[in-house]
Amino acid sequence: MTATAGIVFRLAWRNLWRNYRRTAIVLAAIVAGIWAMIFMIAFTRGMIESMVSDGIRSIPGHVQIHHPDFRNDPTVDNLMPSPGGELAAALGGEDVVAWSSRVRVPAVISSERGSRGVTLLGIDPVAEVPISFVADDIVEGRHLENERDRGLILGRRLLERIETDVGKRVVVMTQGTDNEVVDRGFRVVGVFESEIASTEEAFAFAGRAALQDLLAIGDQVSEIAVLGKNRREAEQLHRRLAETANAEVEVLPWYELNSYLGTTMRTMDGFVIVWIVVIFLALSFGFVNTLVMAVFERVREIGLMMALGMKPRTILAQIIAESLLLLAIGLAVGNILAWATIHLLSDGIDFSFVGEGLEIMGAASVLKPSLGIKDVLLSTAIVLGLGFVASLSPAIRASRYHPVAAITKE
Amino acid sequence: MSITLRLAWRNLWRQPRRTWLTAGAMVFSNVLLIFLIALQLGTYQAMIDNTLSAFSGHLQVQQAGYKEKQRIRQVVPRIRDVAEDLRSGLGLNSIAARGEAFTLASSESRTYGVLIIGVEPEFEPRASRIPSLVSEGRFLDNPDAPEIVVGDILALNLKAQIGDELTILGSARDGSFAAAVVNIVGIFDSGVDELDRSLAQMPLEFFQETFAMEGAGHAVVINAPSLFEVEAVAEKAKSLLPGGQNLVVHDWNDLQPGLRQAIQADLIGSWFMYGILVILVMFSVLNTQLMSVLERTREFGIVMSLGLSSGRLGRLVLLETVLIGLIGLTLGVALGGIATSWFEAHGFTYPGMEEMASQFNIPDRFYPDLNAISLFAGPTVVFVGSVLAAMYPMARLHWLQPVQAMRSA
């Protein structure tokens, strides 16, 4: 058996190069198709990856805990006590990298020049570092020092809109308990920038304790952001926390907190398979054509081999081996080229000329392709599988020739 | 029928399987291209229409610099006269004056930051879709009544209903404190979350009173009869503006820069995919035509030694390619057109479409837009690409030596 397999393989290899021009052209087509297939997948994966990780940093966290009514009515009326007892113990679990409790209220920030509505977040700057984007993106001034810090961090765009600056005072107005409008002056101590420009206008950050003071809400908080080890494990983390938490809070994973992100992730897997199949189908016409020609030219030769005792099954195997060998070479070269292209572009491709458009999609303007081994294996399996199916018809036809008729054929 | 054409046609059917496989590659790509391009055109159209018609309009007249800073004192003076002049000068009714102010709005139990728009009740319904999207109560009808319509998410957040009072706090044009108590008369649902969450509209005259605007406003919204006429309308509007007041006309690309760029970003990805499809078809044609030339080397040698020029043979190969290309084009356009028009009539959707749709302001179902461009753009490129791919096999004929060719096996 192994001896036959060896011969079949060696014959397949030699047959491929008998008509080297034809093989070279089909190979070039396969290589171009595989290259485009892998590159496009890596590129889209990279884009989605950055969308999701930016998205998780602005949610922030893999799992969040709120008062059950908070998401519909995000005000001071829907708070929960600071985590204690069982929940605090659960948050100390091994699968939690960091967690932070925050106060989140709608507010209006006014300078003497203008005012804007924002989402004001009271944070514990130290606990927040691994979870959200603020700390890394401070470009001017300083970060908050601790939760009692009475300073305020604003985004670059907001700062420009209301014409204020680091060191100046602004007035923060928001709704306290009992719908009293409460206000207090805050000094702007730092400025953050974000790749997603609208974030710079939407959020402002203050110390959590300072904000709790202003709102007179004691040590209650609006949300607890929990960062797990990675986003794929969010489901288990979510389940564990939801079991521990009591019924007075709502625990949700990131893909439900931002359903656009969750859907995009799921749609992506569908896109990968559709793209692989489309490319293969576009290739398959030229590929099958080549196989048909290769069988057609060798009718006499195939007849002779059968007359000499080669079994139809071996002939069948022969043709299929040739087709799979052709695809395997194309896959190898195409993958190497795609990998090299991705490697060359590992600093990312700058799409800032359409940056505001990518922002609508939630993506940053520098996109880095990212090649996953899973996608490579998937595409290889699909291409070889469909290639096998496509080569069946010419191979079966070849194996059914009658030796005498085939030999005498002109 | 000329002899070359007849020869070319017969040559194609010497290897019918090969011909059909080559044409099949073209048909496959053509059907896919027609569907995808039609889908893109339809989606872009919906994105533009929905985003612009909801609120921002095709064009806006503003004071230079207002778009960036949005300060309440960067005004268009005597704005209702300006709007009236534009309406009569341009002969369009879809023009309305607006004032805009960021305020704090409080209901009985909630307070939120809200962007208040002062609108002309008579003209706003012709300039944007918000008035027609009032889902509860009614739109404004009195130019100076203390009334307001709010977005549905905002109403939910404020826990306010039709008939409730809202207290508005903000700063007036002169820097003084502006306050008003208004009645909610309507709630709109534009489908664009950002608008439904943060926008409220009140009558322009009442707005001007409240914010000490002295007859001024911030923007005149102009809608051209169609997207294609925007540029011409903008040019004409510029000439109608009162001089010396530093007014500018912004088009939709200035007002919503993300929109055009989102379309461009999507186009980059699509062009890459379409390019690859065309290249794969070209390889397929190259392979077929090269094979068909090589297997006829002897035959070509004979007819050349009988006096046929290599140019004539080249035309024969070219004609063969054109014929396959035409088969691919005709079948591709027919099948692609039928399939796409079915989807154009019925629309289609896929799981997760709802989230995508609300992110990009498009309806929950896709409707491809089949027209001359979407029907022929792709197939034409495939056809031209196929003919180009046949250049190499044709060129080989020029180097053919009749004697050597006749001797080849």
Side-chain angles (χ1 to χ4, degrees):
Chain A
M1 184 63 209
T2 37
T4 326
I7 290 170
V8 165
F9 180 80
R10 200 184 300 168
L11 276 177
W13 176 257
R14 289 192 182 159
N15 279 335
L16 276 188
W17 303 109
R18 282 162 68 172
N19 195 331
Y20 67 92
R21 268 200 208 88
R22 184 172 62 204
T23 304
I25 293 174
V26 181
L27 211 49
I30 296 175
V31 167
I34 300 293
W35 172 82
M37 186 191 279
I38 300 293
F39 179 72
M40 191 71 181
I41 291 172
F43 185 79
T44 318
R45 280 269 188 234
M47 174 168 153
I48 305 260
E49 201 64 39
S50 94
M51 273 169 68
V52 171
S53 58
D54 284 354
I56 286 176
R57 280 168 82 75
S58 72
I59 286 177
H62 295 130
V63 174
Q64 281 195 350
I65 307 172
H66 297 116
H67 184 282
D69 295 331
F70 180 81
R71 294 209 315 144
N72 282 328
D73 183 21
T75 61
V76 280
D77 284 1
N78 295 313
L79 299 178
M80 54 191 175
S82 232
E86 275 183 42
L87 186 57
L91 288 170
E94 248 189 26
D95 51 353
V96 174
V97 172
W99 64 274
S100 168
S101 55
R102 331 164 95 210
V103 175
R104 184 185 190 113
V105 285
V108 169
I109 295 187
S110 314
S111 70
E112 58 270 44
R113 299 280 190 152
S115 54
R116 281 292 182 280
V118 295
T119 297
L120 179 61
L121 290 160
I123 56 171
D124 174 350
V126 181
E128 193 85 4
V129 169
I131 300 173
S132 80
F133 59 90
V134 216
D136 301 337
D137 301 337
I138 302 243
V139 289
E140 203 188 320
R142 61 170 176 85
H143 192 29
L144 300 169
E145 275 158 6
N146 55 52
E147 55 180 281
R148 302 195 178 282
D149 198 314
R150 316 259 319 229
L152 190 68
I153 309 253
L154 300 183
R156 169 69 67 202
R157 285 239 296 231
L158 183 65
L159 199 77
E160 283 166 4
R161 282 271 157 104
I162 61 172
E163 291 182 63
T164 185
D165 224 326
V166 173
K168 293 202 175 145
R169 288 180 76 82
V170 292
V171 175
V172 171
M173 273 193 287
T174 181
Q175 180 197 339
T177 44
D178 307 325
N179 199 25
E180 289 288 309
V181 173
V182 294
D183 59 79
R184 179 185 287 171
F186 278 79
R187 193 173 297 282
V188 180
V189 297
V191 181
F192 73 88
E193 275 178 12
S194 164
E195 286 192 27
I196 309 286
S198 57
T199 313
E200 291 180 18
E201 261 187 291
F203 295 101
F205 298 86
R208 188 184 63 216
L211 197 54
Q212 284 168 333
D213 248 17
L214 169 65
L215 296 167
I217 51 172
D219 68 346
Q220 296 185 93
V221 295
S222 320
E223 72 187 10
I224 299 167
V226 187
L227 189 72
K229 282 192 177 128
N230 70 54
R231 65 175 153 75
R232 284 173 199 85
E233 287 165 34
E235 208 179 325
Q236 291 99 287
L237 179 62
H238 163 242
R239 210 176 310 127
R240 194 174 69 80
L241 291 178
E243 276 163 15
T244 324
N246 53 30
E248 278 130 58
V249 295
E250 176 188 52
V251 185
L252 288 175
W254 65 269
Y255 44 86
E256 280 176 46
L257 289 161
N258 184 338
S259 57
Y260 168 68
L261 278 188
T263 315
T264 310
M265 279 301 285
R266 281 195 307 270
T267 316
M268 176 64 201
D269 291 329
F271 164 81
V272 168
I273 293 174
V274 169
W275 178 234
I276 293 173
V277 172
V278 163
I279 289 274
F280 180 83
L281 288 179
L283 275 177
S284 64
F285 294 93
F287 172 70
V288 172
N289 211 346
T290 305
L291 288 181
V292 170
M293 284 300 110
V295 170
F296 180 78
E297 288 172 354
R298 297 205 310 254
V299 174
R300 286 183 68 177
E301 181 183 321
I302 290 169
L304 191 63
M305 285 164 112
M306 287 172 118
L308 289 173
M310 208 180 227
K311 286 182 192 128
R313 267 189 26 216
T314 319
I315 301 284
L316 187 83
Q318 177 73 50
I319 305 292
I320 289 174
E322 270 175 51
S323 86
L324 293 185
L325 192 59
L326 190 61
L327 284 175
I329 299 171
L331 276 166
V333 179
N335 270 301
I336 290 171
L337 283 183
W339 179 81
T341 317
I342 291 161
H343 190 71
L344 277 177
L345 295 173
S346 57
D347 287 341
I349 314 170
D350 191 352
F351 282 104
S352 47
F353 59 102
V354 289
E356 284 173 89
L358 290 167
E359 193 183 316
I360 294 188
M361 306 180 195
S365 54
V366 175
L367 300 178
K368 290 178 192 167
S370 104
L371 185 56
I373 189 74
K374 236 173 78 185
D375 289 330
V376 172
L377 292 179
L378 182 71
S379 60
T380 306
I382 293 181
V383 167
L384 289 179
L386 290 178
F388 174 77
V389 175
S391 56
L392 275 180
S393 144
I396 289 175
R397 176 187 289 246
S399 67
R400 287 196 183 149
Y401 282 134
H402 190 277
V404 180
I407 293 172
T408 51
K409 192 174 180 217
E410 202 277 311
Chain B
M1 208 192 222
S2 86
I3 183 123
T4 321
L5 183 62
R6 198 180 299 171
L7 266 179
W9 183 253
R10 285 197 184 154
N11 281 336
L12 284 191
W13 304 112
R14 282 158 76 165
Q15 291 278 7
R17 257 158 80 93
R18 185 165 67 194
T19 301
W20 279 122
L21 279 169
T22 313
M26 295 175 188
V27 173
F28 173 77
S29 298
N30 285 343
V31 170
L32 213 58
L33 286 173
I34 290 171
F35 178 72
L36 290 176
I37 293 174
L39 187 61
Q40 276 183 307
L41 291 184
T43 314
Y44 295 163
Q45 196 65 38
M47 254 170 92
I48 294 174
D49 284 351
N50 291 355
T51 310
L52 298 183
S53 67
F55 183 64
S56 69
H58 289 148
L59 296 163
Q60 285 193 13
V61 176
Q62 299 176 346
Q63 191 184 115
Y66 178 75
K67 186 168 67 74
E68 291 74 30
K69 300 263 167 78
Q70 290 183 319
R71 265 180 275 152
I72 193 159
R73 51 177 201 281
Q74 295 172 302
V75 297
V76 179
R78 296 176 47 248
I79 194 160
R80 275 183 291 152
D81 296 343
V82 176
E84 197 48 55
D85 290 348
L86 285 168
R87 275 191 285 268
S88 57
L90 294 169
L92 289 173
N93 259 329
S94 51
I95 296 174
R98 286 181 188 161
E100 303 177 351
F102 284 95
T103 63
L104 206 60
S106 305
S107 64
E108 204 167 307
S109 60
R110 292 286 181 271
T111 300
Y112 275 87
V114 175
L115 174 61
I116 301 234
I117 312 291
V119 298
E120 296 180 287
E122 193 190 344
F123 296 104
E124 188 64 26
R126 295 172 208 169
S128 79
R129 279 194 312 149
I130 287 185
S132 65
L133 294 170
V134 168
S135 54
E136 245 184 277
R138 60 169 171 87
F139 189 63
L140 310 166
D141 51 12
N142 186 338
D144 60 359
E147 294 175 341
I148 198 164
V149 291
V150 299
D152 59 347
I153 301 179
L154 182 61
L156 205 71
N157 284 342
L158 285 168
K159 298 201 163 181
Q161 285 157 354
I162 305 280
D164 288 359
E165 280 185 347
L166 281 188
T167 310
I168 307 292
L169 296 178
S171 3
R173 182 186 173 186
D174 53 12
S176 67
F177 187 65
V181 176
V182 290
N183 269 313
I184 300 179
V185 295
I187 292 173
F188 65 83
D189 173 12
S190 73
V192 181
D193 285 359
E194 205 186 313
L195 299 178
D196 293 342
R197 182 178 297 121
S198 62
L199 207 69
Q201 299 193 337
M202 60 162 69
L204 182 60
E205 285 176 43
F206 181 71
F207 175 93
Q208 289 172 327
E209 237 167 83
T210 308
F211 295 93
M213 296 299 292
E214 292 165 12
H218 296 104
V220 180
V221 182
I222 304 173
N223 277 297
S226 80
L227 263 187
F228 301 103
E229 288 157 80
V230 169
E231 218 168 310
V233 171
E235 280 311 309
K236 198 152 175 224
K238 268 179 209 160
S239 67
L240 291 168
L241 294 181
Q245 288 170 348
N246 201 16
L247 300 183
V248 291
V249 179
H250 292 299
D251 68 8
W252 62 274
N253 193 33
D254 292 340
L255 299 168
Q256 303 268 356
L259 189 57
R260 179 172 291 180
Q261 294 189 8
I263 291 174
Q264 285 168 341
D266 187 65
L267 277 176
I268 296 173
S270 320
W271 277 332
F272 180 80
M273 293 201 271
Y274 300 162
I276 291 299
L277 276 180
V278 174
I279 288 173
L280 292 181
V281 174
M282 287 173 72
F283 272 119
S284 188
V285 174
L286 171 64
N287 206 0
T288 304
Q289 289 310 84
L290 189 63
M291 284 309 106
S292 98
V293 165
L294 289 178
E295 44 180 56
R296 285 183 283 173
T297 306
R298 252 181 101 172
E299 181 183 323
F300 284 162
I302 295 170
V303 291
M304 274 171 88
S305 61
L306 290 174
L308 213 62
S309 73
S310 65
R312 187 100 187 260
L313 281 180
R315 279 205 294 285
L316 178 71
V317 174
L318 181 66
L319 206 56
E320 287 171 21
T321 316
V322 168
L323 286 177
I324 303 187
L326 284 177
I327 295 175
L329 186 81
T330 317
L331 288 180
V333 167
L335 292 177
I338 292 168
T340 308
S341 61
W342 190 87
F343 283 112
E344 189 178 28
H346 297 84
F348 79 101
T349 186
Y350 60 83
M353 181 64 203
E354 226 168 283
E355 280 87 356
M356 297 277 172
S358 75
Q359 186 88 0
F360 296 103
N361 288 334
I362 49 178
D364 290 354
R365 289 183 84 77
F366 279 125
Y367 291 92
D369 179 14
L370 193 63
N371 56 31
I373 295 179
S374 49
L375 191 56
F376 290 108
T380 308
V381 174
V382 168
F383 180 78
V384 172
S386 307
V387 174
L388 285 179
M391 289 297 146
Y392 171 67
M394 271 171 66
R396 286 186 60 90
L397 290 173
H398 275 285
W399 306 316
L400 203 67
Q401 299 296 326
V403 179
Q404 253 180 337
M406 276 190 292
R407 283 196 189 133
S408 75

